[in-house]
Amino acid sequence: MTTVTERALWEAMVEARAFDQAMCRHNGHWHEARGEEAVFVGAYADLGPGDVVAPHFRGTCAVALQRGASPDVLAAGVFGTGGSRSGGHWRGDICPAPGPRSIGMFSGSLGTSVAYATGAALHLSRTTPGAAAVCGFGDGTANSGIVAESLNLAAMLALPIVYVCQDNQYATSLPSAVALAGERVSDRARALSITAHDIDGNDVLAVRAAVGTAVERARAGGGPSFVHALTYRMGGHYMNDPETYRTPEEVAAWAERDPIARLQEVLVARGELDATDADARIAQAHARMDAVVAQAKARGEDPPAPPLARTPRTRPR
Ligand SMILES: Cc1ncc(C[n+]2csc(CCOP(=O)(O)OP(=O)(O)O)c2C)c(N)n1
């Protein structure tokens, strides 16, 4: 039974956006996730500490926050300084070193984390009955071969994993409408007999319901599922993206479907949230995260990370 309230989902989306927007202000490498919060907040909301997560890089920090990470430690991980989980040995840029049972983007090669998550699901299936893995990736990443191989293995071995395609409709400047053959990316899963759902990725309650059903299935030994969540990134691919591949009208139309405003309206109408309090809460979150990120950035390289212990290599004779 879930303990996360719908109000808590709204708060998690607010926190996620506040951290994301603070990074946009302070980090020129940041890849903005504004507009996609419903996918990564809804998909990972009801998991337990024994489950494994491998979020898409656009949303990794939000998932870590939702699972109890400190924003200071995450921010330090992005800037690669001493207060990070890696002790300053690794600079995250867009995705810091992950927490326990969280598979991060160890390499900038898209799709690798999908393979690692599938491997983790294989491990869970052998060692931890009832545990599941949830793995996110973008529509562009869905085209990489390693994703097809992972889906095939998961279907063959009925692994306890839920694949969540966070379809923001662009791979950098390439629209998914021209990059994906066939009607829907989820059809690739169906071709492998994997249960697939196509959902509104700007509706956090729909995402939560679809992933929740899929996770229950995985826990019960029903094998993998695929959730295709259609969403939109309101910002550029990265900071300073000239965004010549889309129109301001298209962006404005999707801004009308802002997932945070959408749930907020529902909660206000139900009397579970006061509109003025909500605005104040959002402003507080942005001010807090801005201070956290500015402080992490100002900390720079100090203190220097201690040297890594190296194991000498031995050559085979
Ligand atoms: C294997 C691989 N191919 C290409 C790239 C270059 N690249 C970085 S981000 C990106 C777009 C990814 O699109 P998507 O998976 O839809 O995620 P989004 O950026 O839209 O969130 C590409 C092609 C890469 N990092 N790795």
Side-chain angles (χ1 to χ4, degrees):
M1 203 173 101
T2 179
T3 51
V4 179
T5 62
E6 292 180 359
R7 158 92 195 220
L9 288 178
W10 176 82
E11 283 174 3
M13 289 197 289
V14 168
E15 294 279 298
R17 185 169 297 180
F19 186 90
D20 182 74
Q21 293 302 290
M23 275 297 167
C24 288
R25 281 190 287 278
H26 296 289
N27 176 7
H29 293 281
W30 194 246
H31 287 49
E32 188 173 1
R34 185 167 44 100
E36 301 181 32
E37 293 88 355
V39 184
F40 44 78
V41 168
Y44 301 90
D46 298 314
L47 299 174
D51 298 314
V52 171
V53 302
H56 183 40
F57 67 80
R58 236 181 263 281
T60 296
C61 285
V63 175
L65 287 173
Q66 201 177 7
R67 285 169 75 82
S70 146
D72 307 84
V73 176
L74 287 178
V78 172
F79 293 111
T81 56
S84 67
R85 287 180 59 81
S86 73
H89 285 292
W90 192 63
R91 180 185 163 100
D93 268 350
I94 60 172
C95 169
R101 295 241 169 191
S102 178
I103 293 172
M105 210 175 108
F106 297 115
S107 128
S109 188
L110 293 170
T112 48
S113 60
V114 179
Y116 299 146
T118 305
L122 174 58
H123 178 75
L124 291 178
S125 74
R126 301 293 188 267
T127 61
T128 324
V134 177
C135 170
F137 49 90
D139 47 281
T141 307
N143 275 338
S144 63
I146 203 166
V147 173
E149 293 172 46
S150 300
L151 289 173
N152 187 57
L153 187 76
M156 291 288 291
L157 301 180
L159 298 181
I161 184 163
V162 181
Y163 296 101
V164 181
C165 181
Q166 187 170 321
D167 182 356
N168 65 12
Q169 306 183 48
Y170 288 95
T172 314
S173 55
L174 185 66
S176 52
V178 299
L180 282 153
E183 200 52 34
R184 295 163 299 194
V185 65
S186 51
D187 289 337
R188 296 176 185 178
R190 292 187 183 95
L192 297 166
S193 304
I194 295 176
T195 303
H197 310 272
D198 298 286
I199 57 162
D200 178 348
N202 278 27
D203 179 349
V204 69
L205 303 180
V207 177
R208 175 201 218 166
V211 175
T213 304
V215 167
E216 286 314 309
R217 213 180 120 80
R219 291 197 198 292
S225 302
F226 191 100
V227 175
H228 171 229
L230 187 71
T231 185
Y232 196 79
R233 73 169 147 69
M234 290 196 227
H237 175 73
Y238 36 46
M239 305 314 294
N240 305 320
D241 178 355
E243 297 184 58
T244 48
Y245 50 86
R246 63 184 187 178
T247 62
E249 292 75 26
E250 181 183 297
V251 180
W254 277 90
E256 293 292 314
R257 302 173 65 179
D258 184 324
I260 297 181
R262 204 160 149 183
L263 181 58
Q264 192 168 317
E265 273 171 32
V266 173
L267 296 175
V268 169
R270 278 199 216 141
E272 289 174 32
L273 190 62
D274 176 87
T276 313
D277 289 350
D279 290 344
R281 173 82 188 74
I282 291 171
Q284 278 164 12
H286 281 266
R288 185 165 71 89
M289 290 302 189
D290 197 59
V292 163
V293 174
Q295 213 167 21
K297 185 181 182 184
R299 188 170 163 177
E301 299 303 323
D302 184 31
L308 285 172
R310 290 188 186 277
T311 312
R313 284 186 190 198
T314 49
R315 285 179 185 277
R317 288 170 193 264

